[in-house]
Structure formats: structure tokens, C-alpha cells
Amino acid sequence: MGLWSALDPVFIALYRITGYPVIDFFAGTFLIAFLTVVLGEFTISIAYRVNREHLKVLNSKMVSMHNRSLGALKSGNREKYKSSNKEANDAFGRVFFNAIALSAACLWPVFFALGWMQTRFIGIGFPIPFTGWEANYVVVFLAAYIICRILFGHLRPRLPYFKQVQRELDEHNKEAGKLESFADLITEKSKIGAARGH
């Protein structure tokens, strides 16, 4: 409870901007949601930077093995396709679970913010027109959080620290190489067939 008591004056100040309770509730919740997005993105950027080399190796292996499996499929080597595809799937699984872990790193501030909001706004609801339902602080916060996440996505390339992180992510994706698709394989076969037809 000591942590909430220490942070309460800081957070509640965001709810006293205009002096109009309803406007202040929505404005304050929006600001809290934006802070959680920024803090979550900062956390995920630290986790990414700490694990960058490991993630590069995993991504490169996934792309390489996937492309190798498609190459084997093109050449008709089913055994090589099966073994390469198995390794590509294993690499994809590792990349996928690392991505989930990184995503979880950006969500912890949400639970922290909702925990504080519960101490202040439990029992407060806003009627939703024509439904007979009420939106409590959780619904309002989550709606604000989604809007803030979209807004932050547009702002990220312009924010000093996050702009650098975005550049690193873009370089990381380039270094991993282009992931070929089955559509590429079908297109290539169609071109070969068309060339043979002429």
C-alpha cells in the first residue's frame, strides 16, 4: 500500500486539469494510458537491446531455413525440403515465443495502472447510450490505451530515443533477409511454364 500512497499524488494530479470531474476523468485516464504505452515501449526496447544478438541469430536462421526449404521444394528434393522445413518450424517457434515474451514486457504497466485506478475509481460508471450498460474505469482505460497505442505508433519515428530503436529494428529486419513465400514459388513456376509454352 506504501507504493500506491507515494504515487497517488502524482497520478491524481493528472485528474485535476480542468476542474470539471467528467472531463478530468477522461483526460486523466488518457494521460495515464499514454504513460503506460510509453513505459511499456521503453521496457520492450530495453529487453530487445539486451537480447538483440540472440534475436538476430534466431531470425536469420528462420529465414535461411525457410528459404532453403522452398529452394528444395523448387528443385523437387523432398527429403531436403522436409529436413529444412522442420528446422525452419523450430526456428519459427523460438522467434514466436521470444516475440510473445517481448510483448508481455510492454504490458506490465497496464496492470500497474489498473491497480492504482481500482483504488480511486471502483464503483464509478458511465452509461453507454441506448444499451442500458455502464462503462467502468477498466473499459474507459482500455479504450484510451488502444487509442494511445495507435497514436504512439505514429509518433515513434519522431521521438528521439524511440526513433533510434526503430532504426535498429529496421536494420535487424533487413539483416535477417527476405522471407520467401509459397506465392513466390507459384509465380516462379507460372513464369517457367509460360516461357516453355512460347
Side-chain angles (χ1 to χ4, degrees), residues 1-181:
M1 198 65 182
L3 179 63
W4 297 136
S5 299
L7 292 175
D8 188 70
V10 177
F11 289 161
I12 203 63
L14 300 173
Y15 287 83
R16 293 177 176 156
I17 295 170
T18 69
Y20 296 97
V22 174
I23 294 170
D24 282 345
F25 177 79
F26 285 102
T29 301
F30 182 85
L31 292 172
I32 291 280
F34 194 78
L35 286 173
T36 62
V37 169
V38 172
L39 189 54
E41 287 289 325
F42 180 72
T43 306
I44 200 171
S45 74
I46 297 297
Y48 166 73
R49 286 180 158 182
V50 168
N51 294 295
R52 179 170 36 200
E53 293 309 313
H54 174 65
L55 293 171
K56 278 183 183 177
V57 170
L58 284 180
N59 272 348
S60 294
K61 184 175 181 185
M62 178 187 72
V63 171
S64 170
M65 296 313 296
H66 173 77
N67 291 347
R68 191 180 297 177
S69 72
L70 284 184
L73 195 61
K74 284 177 197 173
S75 64
N77 187 337
R78 290 190 62 78
E79 288 305 311
K80 188 176 178 185
Y81 167 74
K82 283 181 183 176
S83 64
S84 297
N85 193 46
K86 183 180 183 305
E87 286 190 57
N89 286 335
D90 290 343
F92 175 78
R94 290 193 183 103
V95 168
F96 178 75
F97 285 111
N98 272 276
I100 287 176
L102 283 173
S103 297
C106 82
L107 289 176
W108 72 267
V110 170
F111 302 104
F112 188 83
L114 286 173
W116 174 79
M117 289 183 78
Q118 182 178 10
T119 66
R120 281 288 190 162
F121 304 115
I122 195 160
I124 294 174
F126 295 92
I128 301 172
F130 313 113
T131 65
W133 299 343
E134 280 193 344
N136 64 7
Y137 72 95
V138 177
V139 174
V140 175
F141 175 84
L142 291 177
Y145 182 82
I146 291 167
I147 293 166
C148 289
R149 182 149 284 291
I150 293 166
L151 178 63
F152 186 84
H154 292 293
L155 292 175
R156 184 193 345 241
R158 297 169 185 84
L159 299 173
Y161 172 79
F162 294 105
K163 178 168 52 176
Q164 176 61 33
V165 173
Q166 189 62 52
R167 262 199 303 268
E168 290 172 15
L169 285 169
D170 293 341
E171 286 169 18
H172 172 91
N173 290 334
K174 280 181 190 171
E175 286 172 15
K178 182 183 182 290
L179 193 67
E180 293 179 15
S181 69

